[in-house]
Amino acid sequence: MVDEARSEHKITAIQVRKIYEILRLRATDVSDSQEYRKYRLDVKRRINIPFLKEKRNFEKLSKFLKKDEFAAVMNSKSAENQQEFLQKSYKELEFEYRKVIERLSTHIPFP
């Protein structure tokens, strides 16, 4: 399905993913905590990808730095900062997605 959308509409994989997230938010029952939680975790997983890449880079970097240098670098990157960033980014995305859904609903009736 992703490949069909990409080739037919000439959009990137990231754009396909965002469209999927928007439509999934529209279909998600926010009052159902389990369903909404699954949606949030799925979106946050995508937002977290750069952090995972950065973590792998730090692991490679640790082989070349002294312990005190590496500790200084790691102190600047805390898990709390990452969690705050993920939460803030998710809230901003959800706000933007809801605006898109609102605009779409005026033009395209959803079931």
Side-chain angles (χ1 to χ4, degrees), residues 69-107:
E69 292 173 335
F70 183 69
V73 170
M74 291 308 290
N75 284 338
S76 66
K77 304 290 182 185
S78 72
E80 291 176 2
N81 290 343
Q82 181 178 349
Q83 290 295 334
E84 288 175 20
F85 175 79
L86 284 174
Q87 186 64 23
K88 182 181 174 190
S89 296
Y90 172 76
K91 289 293 182 186
E92 290 172 359
L93 268 178
E94 184 175 356
F95 179 74
E96 292 298 320
Y97 287 177
R98 290 197 184 277
K99 285 188 349 187
V100 170
I101 290 169
E102 187 178 312
R103 285 187 300 223
L104 281 174
S105 65
T106 60
H107 300 292

Side-chain angles (χ1 to χ4, degrees), residues 4-15:
E4 292 173 20
R6 287 179 64 192
S7 63
E8 184 176 331
H9 299 289
K10 307 277 192 235
I11 56 178
T12 66
I14 295 171
Q15 291 170 322

Side-chain angles (χ1 to χ4, degrees), residues 9 11 19 24 51:
H9 299 289
I11 56 178
I19 292 168
R24 184 169 171 201
F51 285 107

Side-chain angles (χ1 to χ4, degrees), residues 10-56:
K10 307 277 192 235
I11 56 178
T12 66
I14 295 171
Q15 291 170 322
V16 171
R17 177 65 187 191
K18 288 183 179 184
I19 292 168
Y20 164 76
E21 289 173 356
I22 291 168
L23 294 176
R24 184 169 171 201
L25 177 61
R26 172 64 178 97
T28 299
D29 181 12
V30 181
S31 61
D32 181 1
S33 62
Q34 286 288 67
E35 186 178 352
Y36 184 56
R37 182 176 187 272
K38 286 179 184 178
Y39 170 77
R40 279 193 339 262
L41 291 176
D42 195 31
V43 173
K44 286 182 180 181
R45 202 172 293 123
R46 179 185 62 82
I47 297 171
N48 196 40
I49 290 172
F51 285 107
L52 296 176
K53 290 179 182 178
E54 187 175 288
K55 182 179 176 183
R56 284 192 300 265

